[in-house]
Amino acid sequence: MSQQPEMQPPGPPGGDVHRDLTGTPFPLGDWGEPAERLDELYRWVESNALRTAEWYLSDRVWKRRAARILRIGTAVGVIAGAALPLLDLTGVAEGIAGWGYLSLLLGAACMACDRYFGLTSGWIRDVATAQAVQRRLQALQFDWASESVREVLGPTEGTASEAAERCLGVLRRFSEDVTELVRAETADWMVEFRSGPAPLALQSVGVVPARPESPHPSGRFPLPPGTRPNMPRQRPPETR
């Protein structure tokens, strides 16, 4: 890790961006030169992150176009559905009120298709995930630059093995963060796909909510109104 690697690897970061995010093989090599191996691992981690961000940005293109078309269809259907009956009522164009109802039906169908296929929410999730990956990648680049400067100026504490372990920890935490971002986006998609418009708490966390606690911790059924609870009988005190 004698010098900071370039911010982007040569060539396309991930090849075909239309394939699934299956990952790439972990680079194996000889650790006789730790600096070169760390630079290679950094380029591998960075290229995977760039490929992930590019995949989400390319996936949101067709979703955004389809969502805009459906939203335009919804707006046109609603406007036409409100205007045509008014024109028929005022006598400007007679016999077109039925087309207004058909326009309202088409507008409602466009909105239903958008919500059913999750186009608007899908491309918004893609943009949010890509931006989150890019922000995390920028933090990694600055952290790696800090480690590189520390090595060039000379380690002030610890040994070379500890410095290499610290760099590996930085790369590992970054990979785990990117994996968690992808997992969270997938969990949001699963929740939306299963139950349609789900609560925001489920879509943001992607977990099942905890079971609410019973209002009767003792497990007994509530008594009907107007009745008094039966107190347990007590033995009378023994006479001495």
Side-chain angles (χ1 to χ4, degrees):
M1 202 181 68
S2 58
Q3 59 182 2
Q4 181 186 4
E6 297 179 358
M7 290 298 114
Q8 293 185 359
D16 186 9
V17 297
H18 299 288
R19 66 178 185 178
D20 293 334
L21 296 176
T22 55
T24 56
F26 187 82
L28 301 176
D30 185 14
W31 280 92
E33 296 293 337
E36 296 180 1
R37 291 289 298 133
L38 289 175
D39 289 344
E40 183 180 359
L41 289 178
Y42 174 83
R43 292 188 179 94
W44 175 73
V45 169
E46 186 186 42
S47 63
N48 285 340
L50 291 173
R51 185 172 63 89
T52 300
E54 188 173 358
W55 186 89
Y56 278 106
L57 291 178
S58 62
D59 183 66
R60 56 105 185 184
V61 174
W62 71 270
K63 292 181 180 179
R64 182 181 61 180
R65 292 175 181 174
R68 287 181 175 178
I69 292 175
L70 291 177
R71 286 181 173 272
I72 291 175
T74 301
V76 171
V78 171
I79 294 175
L84 293 180
L86 291 178
L87 295 177
D88 187 16
L89 182 62
T90 56
V92 177
E94 298 180 355
I96 61 173
W99 293 102
Y101 302 137
L102 180 60
S103 298
L104 287 176
L105 180 61
L106 293 177
C110 290
M111 179 180 295
C113 289
D114 184 19
R115 294 180 62 86
Y116 180 79
F117 293 105
L119 297 176
T120 300
S121 59
W123 77 263
I124 290 177
R125 286 199 315 269
D126 289 341
V127 172
T129 306
Q131 291 179 350
V133 172
Q134 291 175 349
R135 288 195 301 268
R136 189 62 185 86
L137 179 59
Q138 291 178 355
L140 171 68
Q141 291 170 348
F142 281 103
D143 292 341
W144 196 260
S146 176
E147 294 294 337
S148 301
V149 171
R150 180 183 300 180
E151 183 182 358
V152 171
L153 298 179
T156 57
E157 58 181 6
T159 61
S161 62
E162 293 178 353
E165 185 177 358
R166 184 170 59 250
C167 294
L168 288 175
V170 172
L171 297 178
R172 179 178 179 179
R173 286 192 298 270
F174 172 77
S175 298
E176 292 176 350
D177 291 344
V178 174
T179 303
E180 179 61 24
L181 291 174
V182 176
R183 187 209 63 80
E185 191 277 332
T186 306
D188 292 345
W189 174 80
M190 292 175 61
V191 170
E192 181 180 2
F193 179 77
R194 290 177 180 177
S195 58
L200 294 178
L202 287 179
Q203 296 186 3
S204 60
V205 180
V207 295
V208 180
R211 295 180 60 182
E213 296 182 358
S214 175
H216 306 283
S218 61
R220 298 179 179 177
F221 295 98
L223 296 175
T227 59
R228 298 178 58 184
N230 296 327
M231 300 298 295
R233 296 182 179 181
Q234 298 181 358
R235 296 179 58 185
E238 297 180 358
T239 58
R240 297 182 179 180

